[in-house]
Amino acid sequence: MLDALDLARIQFAFTVAFHIVFPAFSIGLASYLAVLEGLWLWRRQEVYLNTYKFWLKIFAVAFGMGVVSGLVMSYQFGTNWSVFSDKTGPVIGPLMGYEVLSAFFLEAGFLGVMLFGMKRVPPMLHFAATLLVAFGTFFSAFWILAVNSWMQTPQGFAVNEVGQFIPVSWMEVIFNPSFPFRLVHMVLAAYLTTALVVGAVGAFHLLRDRQNASARLMFSMALWMATVVGPAQIIAGDMHGLNTVEHQPLKIAAMEGHYETHEGAPLILFGIPDSDARETKYAVEVPGLASLILTHHLDGEVKGLEEWPREDWPNVPLVFWAFRIMVGIGVAIVALGAWSLWRRRRGKLYDAKWLQRASVLMGPAGFVAVVSGWVVTEAGRQPWVVYGALRTADAVSPIAAPAVGFSLAAFVITYLFVFTAGVFYLLRLMGKTPSAHEGEPPTGVPTRAAGITPASAMTPALNAPRQD
């Protein structure tokens, strides 16, 4: 029988798993839209504008779903995690307030211009709105990652007489030891996630029409992103791992599946961690490679889980396998980029049907990698909610298990209806063939905008070359 703590953890994990995919997609897609509109203003080639309009509608839906799923999570801090909110509020509350002031206001303030202002404001002003929305999504990631990183590697605080964490140095709170590595790793993951989706949509339409200009543009740009950013993400991941070795070695031991401390530790590719038996069974290993990766020395020491009390261990199999899923997808992204580079150098990028089929299959992989990465981050931190300072069991609300169970069931049912409908609509938008005059109002029939002016007479056609 699950108690209130377990149910609260399941509820938060369920809602955050739904939420995280939409901000990750929005961060990358907002930047992609800014690049497309910038290229349109620079080169005046219609394909950039048509592709921008195609993805603008998808961005609007994904952004809305991200906002809704994020608001739901904030309520849980008051219902299921009130002790956590009380103790960490003086630190986390202002950071979340800065996120609203600097990021959400920026996004919300200019999103309307971005979505509906193409015909109503000068082109450069519209481009500025797109840029500001993109910067807003980045600022949002900045503050959220600052909060999460402080929970992973807390510093710059004191504890008052009632047990609350009080900020002593905001610079140390924000720029805590793991923050830069998490921010870079997450933003690159967002860009790669979006690139895989854009590449999959481009490949899907190329398989149906090899000459579709927007599909060719999507496919080419997405695979350039995989080619360049995929290897960069591996380097960023390695630096993040070294930081974790320094500040959260217990999490690294769980990720690697090492129960005993080794010098010249092998890299366990696959296996079945058994915390009761204190070993990883049926392990497939590469000798010395874990020490080489984690210490950059073949005979370096890698600490095992037995260095810490059993009650401090996280769920080792969950962390172990989530880490391998994330890394496996990262390797597949690098391979996809290398494959595309080989076809591109031969001048056959758009004729490579197997590459296009592989790109379609890889479309959702970025979301899986992002969720897996967050499982490693959050489950690997357990049993601490503020690492080394506040246990998760001491942060939960004094609430009865049936109450949490009822709200969890309500979340599951609501999410299945709302997000299934949302994702279905997104897939319909992506499946629509990108074409010239994307989003133009129909011609030959009466069309009205606000007021009394017919829309067709308000401005020239969107795709006509501009003279300003």
Side-chain angles (χ1 to χ4, degrees), residues 49-383:
L49 184 60
N50 290 329
T51 308
Y52 175 90
K53 292 177 182 175
F54 178 87
W55 285 103
L56 183 62
K57 291 174 286 187
I58 295 168
F59 174 79
V61 177
F63 183 85
M65 295 173 72
V67 171
V68 170
S69 56
L71 288 174
V72 169
M73 288 176 56
S74 65
Y75 284 110
Q76 293 178 59
F77 291 120
T79 55
N80 297 348
W81 302 102
S82 60
V83 179
F84 166 79
S85 300
D86 175 59
K87 289 185 179 298
T88 64
V91 173
I92 292 180
L95 296 181
M96 298 303 291
Y98 299 149
E99 194 258 343
V100 173
L101 288 173
S102 66
F104 190 70
F105 279 13
L106 200 60
E107 294 168 321
F110 289 93
L111 184 64
V113 178
M114 183 180 172
L115 294 179
F116 307 111
M118 180 68 79
K119 296 180 180 180
R120 296 175 174 82
V121 299
M124 289 307 295
L125 180 57
H126 189 272
F127 179 49
T130 305
L131 280 176
L132 289 171
V133 170
F135 282 133
T137 61
F138 177 79
F139 285 147
S140 181
F142 178 94
W143 292 114
I144 297 299
L145 267 296
V147 170
N148 184 265
S149 298
W150 179 81
M151 293 164 64
Q152 303 277 347
T153 52
Q155 69 172 21
F157 69 95
V159 179
N160 66 13
E161 63 279 4
V162 294
Q164 292 177 313
F165 298 91
I166 305 298
V168 175
S169 168
W170 280 112
M171 291 298 290
E172 290 188 10
V173 167
I174 296 170
F175 297 99
N176 60 77
S178 65
F179 170 66
F181 303 97
R182 292 180 195 283
L183 180 64
V184 171
H185 199 45
M186 183 64 209
V187 171
L188 292 183
Y191 287 158
L192 286 172
T193 297
T194 303
L196 290 179
V197 175
V198 172
V201 173
F204 174 77
H205 291 293
L206 275 178
L207 288 168
R208 299 198 299 184
D209 177 9
R210 197 177 301 172
Q211 301 306 317
N212 188 292
S214 285
R216 293 164 74 99
L217 179 68
M218 294 176 204
F219 190 60
S220 177
M221 292 180 74
L223 290 180
W224 271 126
M225 179 66 77
T227 302
V228 175
V229 178
Q233 177 70 313
I234 290 180
I235 296 172
D238 177 63
M239 296 175 69
H240 185 21
L242 294 177
N243 179 267
T244 308
V245 169
E246 181 179 357
H247 297 281
Q248 295 178 302
L250 175 55
K251 181 189 290 187
I252 287 290
M255 291 162 61
E256 297 296 330
H258 285 300
Y259 288 87
E260 297 179 356
T261 299
H262 293 277
E263 290 183 357
L267 177 68
I268 300 176
L269 298 177
F270 303 103
I272 302 176
D274 186 339
S275 293
D276 293 330
R278 296 177 181 251
E279 64 173 322
T280 298
K281 297 179 177 176
Y282 314 111
V284 178
E285 303 175 340
V286 179
L289 189 54
S291 289
L292 181 63
I293 293 173
L294 296 172
T295 68
H296 289 188
H297 297 285
L298 272 173
D299 58 352
E301 181 182 272
V302 176
K303 292 186 180 299
L305 287 149
E306 292 187 348
E307 296 283 339
W308 292 270
R310 178 68 179 83
E311 61 269 22
D312 287 348
W313 292 7
N315 185 322
V316 179
L318 179 63
V319 176
F320 178 87
W321 279 107
F323 178 66
R324 273 144 191 79
I325 292 172
M326 178 187 68
V327 172
I329 291 174
V331 172
I333 292 172
V334 172
L336 187 71
W339 187 1
S340 71
L341 190 61
W342 175 61
R343 297 296 299 190
R344 197 188 297 270
R345 288 175 63 87
R346 298 182 64 188
K348 296 182 177 180
L349 181 66
Y350 305 114
D351 299 326
K353 288 192 174 182
W354 280 108
L355 176 61
Q356 292 158 16
R357 292 178 182 130
S359 298
V360 172
L361 291 175
M362 286 288 289
F367 297 120
V368 177
V370 166
V371 172
S372 299
W374 275 95
V375 169
V376 174
T377 298
E378 301 307 305
R381 180 184 54 190
Q382 298 301 317

Side-chain angles (χ1 to χ4, degrees), residues 1-11 404 408:
M1 185 69 179
L2 297 174
D3 59 16
L5 173 61
D6 290 332
L7 289 169
R9 293 169 73 177
I10 292 171
Q11 185 178 123
V404 186
L408 172 60

